[in-house]
Amino acid sequence: MGGSASSSSKIGLAMAGGAPEGAVYEIGVLRALDDAIEGLDFNNLHAYVGISAGAFINASLVNHVSTAHLVRALLNIDPNEQPFDPGMFLSPNVGQYLKSGLMVPRLLMEAARDYLIYKEDHTIVKSLTRLSRALPVGLFDNKPLKRYLERVFNRPGRTDDFRKLDKKLFVVAVELDTGQAVVFGKEGYDHVPISQAVQASTALPGLYPPVHIDGKNYVDGVLRRTLHASTVLDEGAKLVICINPIVPVDTGRAVEEGFLQRGHLTDRGMPSVLSQTFRTLIYSRMKVGFRRYDRHYEGTDLVLFEPSADDYRMFFTNIFSFAKRKVVAEYAYRNTMRDLAKRVDELTPIFEKHGLKLRHDVIFHPEPDLWRSVKVADPTKKKRRKHRVTHNLNDALARLEAVIHAKQAQQQKKEVS
């Protein structure tokens, strides 16, 4: 639905990582913004920067894959697009397992030799620590993602070459041996295929092996930055739309909502503990970065969209389930519409300054519908039919609450001033 931005506007898009579930959430957010903001064309922005899942989506947008096509590919119902299967992120790294297995006999011999030679200084356990070198550097194979993107970007009218794009695309990764961020798409790094750059940007250490490019190893760009919005600001963008799907969860209402039994993440095991730790670290870093942008880029606007801290559906849902994938995308769409309704007074002057206009008829629609937006049948309609009245009433009340909250906040500001 988004139209072309005004010729004088310079709008950038900065998208954070977030693994497969983050990509699904970001697709729902993008489609909501596309529907709700008049004058915004996500395939025709001034500059794009992405990390990990954000790089994957931005590389698609700059290659003229529309937000509607992204949603349909998510559902595997668009004959013109490659189906998006999150399962490709979980392909076992068989080659790495075999390589590691072959190393074990040699490492055992070396451990035994060290123990016999340096018996006074080495315990058996200390000698056996040498076996840690046989651990795979990545549990999963990220080559399927690269092959998928190659197929998408080598279709007519698209390209896998940064230098042939008609817009600026930047993909952030980290060089493993130096710990420095590298921006693929910039001069000196624009010869690397886009698909390979995205593969490197999504190579989260431990889960995926580093990607070898020009004699160097690269890993997930989130290790250095969360959004890297400064990249498009340096390119002259005056408005940057930022999407971050990763926030630390607040379990205060998780028991009430039915996501936890006792309200403790430890009850869900190590994955939830590690996820919360990772989210907290990168989220705090992003907030620091935003304060720096305010100081160093005067006259520019950054607008951030992200889940709330009690967004349990985002934190606890496993989107490798086909049905859950649809639920997360739909939820992201509705949640973004509610967020826009809540912030309408704040965002209206910002967007108008850059030639954009909020569509109130879309934002305040009593029943926002992602599937209607992309002109496909609701894939969850049969399951929701019995609860349709309750669902619509709850959504309408939530949106009304958001509007009232926004008006109250505006009134408080007037009273303070």
Side-chain angles (χ1 to χ4, degrees):
M1 288 180 64
S4 298
S6 65
S7 59
S8 60
S9 64
K10 287 188 176 182
I11 302 172
L13 179 62
M15 297 186 68
E21 62 268 26
V24 174
Y25 190 88
E26 288 177 321
I27 289 172
V29 172
L30 282 170
R31 186 58 196 173
L33 297 177
D34 204 357
D35 283 347
I37 304 175
E38 183 178 340
L40 182 64
D41 182 353
F42 278 116
N43 299 117
N44 190 34
L45 301 180
H46 177 68
Y48 304 74
V49 63
I51 296 175
S52 192
F56 165 79
I57 295 175
N58 268 350
S60 300
L61 293 173
V62 79
N63 260 298
H64 307 291
V65 179
S66 70
T67 59
H69 282 148
L70 285 172
V71 174
R72 295 189 194 113
L74 189 67
L75 301 179
N76 297 349
I77 58 174
D78 194 332
N80 297 315
E81 292 298 335
Q82 291 287 328
F84 173 70
D85 179 12
M88 66 184 169
F89 290 93
L90 290 181
S91 299
N93 196 353
V94 178
Q96 186 66 47
Y97 297 155
L98 292 174
K99 180 181 177 181
S100 297
L102 293 173
M103 292 173 62
V104 171
R106 175 175 60 82
L107 292 173
L108 278 172
M109 291 179 62
E110 291 177 357
R113 181 201 63 193
D114 286 351
Y115 177 70
L116 292 174
I117 295 176
Y118 307 105
K119 194 170 183 179
E120 294 181 358
D121 298 324
H122 280 59
T123 63
I124 293 178
V125 173
K126 185 175 181 180
S127 298
L128 289 176
T129 56
R130 185 183 291 268
L131 289 174
S132 63
R133 300 179 190 175
L135 292 174
V137 293
L139 296 175
F140 303 109
D141 186 3
N142 47 17
K143 292 187 183 69
L145 173 62
K146 180 176 182 291
R147 290 193 291 266
Y148 170 85
L149 292 175
E150 285 175 336
R151 292 194 297 271
V152 172
F153 299 155
N154 281 293
R155 290 193 167 204
R158 299 175 184 172
T159 180
D160 198 21
D161 190 332
F162 284 100
R163 297 164 296 187
K164 295 181 180 179
L165 293 171
D166 55 4
K167 300 296 178 183
K168 300 171 183 177
L169 170 67
F170 304 104
V171 173
V172 182
V174 170
E175 186 185 337
L176 181 61
D177 294 312
T178 64
Q180 297 300 310
V182 171
V183 183
F184 292 105
K186 285 198 169 185
E187 187 176 355
Y189 294 95
D190 54 357
H191 66 285
V192 176
I194 297 172
S195 56
Q196 190 174 34
V198 174
Q199 179 194 12
S201 184
T202 57
L204 187 64
L207 290 182
Y208 304 102
V211 177
H212 197 68
I213 302 174
D214 295 339
K216 298 178 180 179
N217 293 308
Y218 294 92
V219 294
D220 198 321
V222 77
L223 298 186
R224 289 285 299 184
R225 298 281 181 86
T226 304
L227 276 167
H228 229 290
S230 59
T231 301
V232 290
L233 289 168
D234 289 337
E235 292 293 327
K238 297 303 181 183
L239 167 66
V240 181
I241 296 173
C242 305
I243 303 177
N244 170 46
I246 304 178
V247 298
V249 69
D250 180 349
T251 62
R253 296 191 305 106
V255 175
E256 177 186 342
E257 297 287 333
F259 287 92
L260 288 174
Q261 291 185 346
R262 299 185 303 164
H264 301 300
L265 288 175
T266 52
D267 293 341
R268 295 183 67 96
M270 185 175 67
S272 290
V273 174
L274 291 178
S275 176
Q276 179 76 331
T277 303
F278 177 72
R279 288 164 177 263
T280 302
L281 287 172
I282 66 173
Y283 189 72
S284 61
R285 187 176 60 193
M286 185 190 72
K287 289 300 183 182
V288 171
F290 263 71
R291 289 194 290 270
R292 187 175 66 85
Y293 298 148
D294 290 339
R295 294 194 303 269
H296 291 80
Y297 297 96
E298 293 185 7
T300 61
D301 294 296
L302 281 81
V303 179
L304 174 65
F305 295 94
E306 60 186 4
S308 60
D310 59 354
D311 202 331
Y312 306 125
R313 190 172 281 103
M314 179 62 187
F315 186 87
F316 292 111
T317 298
N318 173 19
I319 55 82
F320 292 101
S321 160
F322 189 75
K324 296 295 179 64
R325 200 183 319 165
K326 302 169 187 176
V327 170
V328 168
E330 181 183 41
Y331 179 73
Y333 182 87
R334 288 178 175 271
N335 192 54
T336 304
M337 289 298 182
R338 286 193 290 267
D339 189 27
L340 287 168
K342 183 178 179 179
R343 300 165 62 189
V344 66
D345 291 329
E346 167 202 345
L347 296 177
T348 294
I350 295 175
F351 285 143
E352 286 183 349
K353 183 166 59 171
H354 300 280
L356 306 177
K357 182 180 179 182
L358 289 174
R359 293 189 174 106
H360 287 214
D361 59 323
V362 175
I363 295 171
F364 295 101
H365 193 285
E367 193 178 352
D369 192 320
L370 172 62
W371 318 117
R372 181 178 62 236
S373 165
V374 297
K375 298 179 173 58
V376 300
D378 185 345
T380 59
K381 188 175 182 180
K382 290 182 180 179
K383 295 181 180 179
R384 291 168 43 194
R385 186 173 295 162
K386 293 181 181 179
H387 308 286
R388 184 176 180 184
V389 174
T390 304
H391 177 80
N392 291 347
L393 178 60
N394 287 339
D395 192 66
L397 290 174
R399 295 167 68 77
L400 178 60
E401 182 182 8
V403 174
I404 293 173
H405 178 81
K407 293 298 182 183
Q408 289 175 338
Q410 184 182 29
Q411 183 63 33
Q412 290 174 355
K413 289 181 180 178
K414 288 181 180 179
E415 291 176 355
V416 172
S417 59

